[in-house]
Amino acid sequence: MTETMRSTVVIGAGIVGLTAALELQAQGHLIRVLDPGSPGGRQSASYGHGAWINPASVMPTSLPGLWKQVPGMMRDPVGPFYISRLDMIRLLPWLLRFLWAGSSWDKVEACARLRFGLCKGAVEHHAGLARAAGVPDVLRQEGLVTVFRSRDVFARGKKEAAIRASLGIHLGELDAESLKTREPDLADVYPSASVVKDGAYLADTAGYCRALAALLTTRGGELINGRALDFEFDGDRLVAVRTDNSRIDCDTAVIAAGAHSLPLARRVGDRVSMASERGYHVQIAGASAGPRHSLILSDGKVAISPQPGGFRVAGQVELAPIDKAPNWRRADIMLHHAMRGLPALDLDRPEVRVDCWMGHRPSTPDSLPVIGYSSRSRHVIHAFGHGHAGPTMAPATARAVAALAQGRMPAIDLKPCSPRRFRWLNRA
């Protein structure tokens, strides 16, 4: 190691952590990536997400009038949103902040503009990484389709469309015939679809993370198995990260542990409002019917994407504490939507295999990630809280983290993403 090479520990081997680690490595940092599991392993949200890299993913989750829809959503047994009554009480402060964040279209538009900067250039960045990692075909640049049971539903989001258009994002449209040509196994009840033409998806989410990790180690980085517990400082200078089985000397640390980042953030003086949007998926292998490309069924809010050996159905929202046992009824709902959207799906065949999974989306109430220096030291940098858009926002986050680690001003304004936007929590 040269005298000028900085030693950096990236905490988290998901897609955000790995993308940031590679960017820092390219800037001359000696990189160690710390995670209790394998890169993109089942413990990671990057293992089982909906696979989309979507530059049009600019709209926050909370929109004006959403609160009126929540009771109906909760009564719908297969609906896109679930929270138990007990968890609603536990998470009430987060829920109130969430509703407030989307209480006006001015707030929504301001958030969308910030998210646009975090989504911009994502497909190109991932394409470059996939080529460098030797897996160019894992990124499928085939456009992203959302199908609707009624064209009226498609046309209903005029306000959202206007905000996207103001950012230069224009969605294409497929009619029923074009949609049937693209997806012959799709149910006939979807007469229209929107298309993000420059969107892409990952045909192997876990495999992509493994490939990025291999690229990192080929370039001199190191993967360390362990759970980060605390940090050691000499004054304001970081000297080490302490884990459950070792002590790692370093100059800089990046907290990119997704939904597991909160305890670490508190260790460096930052209390953050974040909840786990637990995401479930079912992965189906051996079926004779399935999607040809990635798509979203708008009525079920589920993404269906080709994956190795078959396809994955993922999505919806369950708000619950991170340590609560999985509610596998939500995985059954994924199957319900798959069978409704793909009526020829033959799950009864003996060769068909169904794998169920649950992971944690780290979601802030204002739909913005936490990116910035910690309150304790500028040598610990936050990079978590991306909600549903971690794969899409990972490249911009990586570039911002690298700039911060070098003491430079990032290309995007990070003030709205600062952990100190939650400073009222530190006074509670």
Side-chain angles (χ1 to χ4, degrees), residues 296-310:
I296 282 180
L297 307 180
S298 65
D299 47 336
K301 299 292 191 294
V302 297
I304 303 180
S305 298
Q307 291 291 298

Side-chain angles (χ1 to χ4, degrees), residues 154-176:
F154 173 47
R156 200 175 293 163
K158 291 181 179 178
K159 189 67 177 179
E160 293 97 312
I163 291 173
R164 287 193 179 97
S166 72
L167 299 170
I169 300 170
H170 300 279
L171 303 185
E173 185 175 358
L174 291 178
D175 59 22

Side-chain angles (χ1 to χ4, degrees), residues 239-321:
V239 296
V241 172
R242 286 200 286 113
T243 82
D244 53 354
N245 55 33
S246 66
R247 177 184 180 276
I248 309 171
D249 293 335
C250 60
D251 306 304
T252 307
V254 179
I255 301 176
H260 301 280
S261 298
L262 286 182
L264 294 170
R266 291 192 188 103
R267 290 289 187 181
V268 286
D270 295 307
R271 294 184 66 190
V272 172
S273 181
M274 194 168 74
S276 169
E277 283 189 42
R278 289 144 52 107
Y280 292 81
H281 88 211
V282 292
Q283 195 139 315
I284 300 169
S288 60
R292 305 303 193 266
H293 314 270
S294 189
L295 68 148
I296 282 180
L297 307 180
S298 65
D299 47 336
K301 299 292 191 294
V302 297
I304 303 180
S305 298
Q307 291 291 298
F311 65 94
R312 172 183 301 165
V313 188
Q316 301 205 332
V317 171
E318 180 195 37
L319 284 175

Side-chain angles (χ1 to χ4, degrees), residues 9 62 100 102 106 112 125 156 159 165 229 254 257 264 290 302 316 326 340 343 373 378 424:
V9 173
S62 182
W100 174 252
D106 286 343
H125 191 111
R156 200 175 293 163
K159 189 67 177 179
L229 299 178
V254 179
L264 294 170
V302 297
Q316 301 205 332
R340 192 165 71 163
Y373 295 122
R378 290 169 66 91
W424 38 268

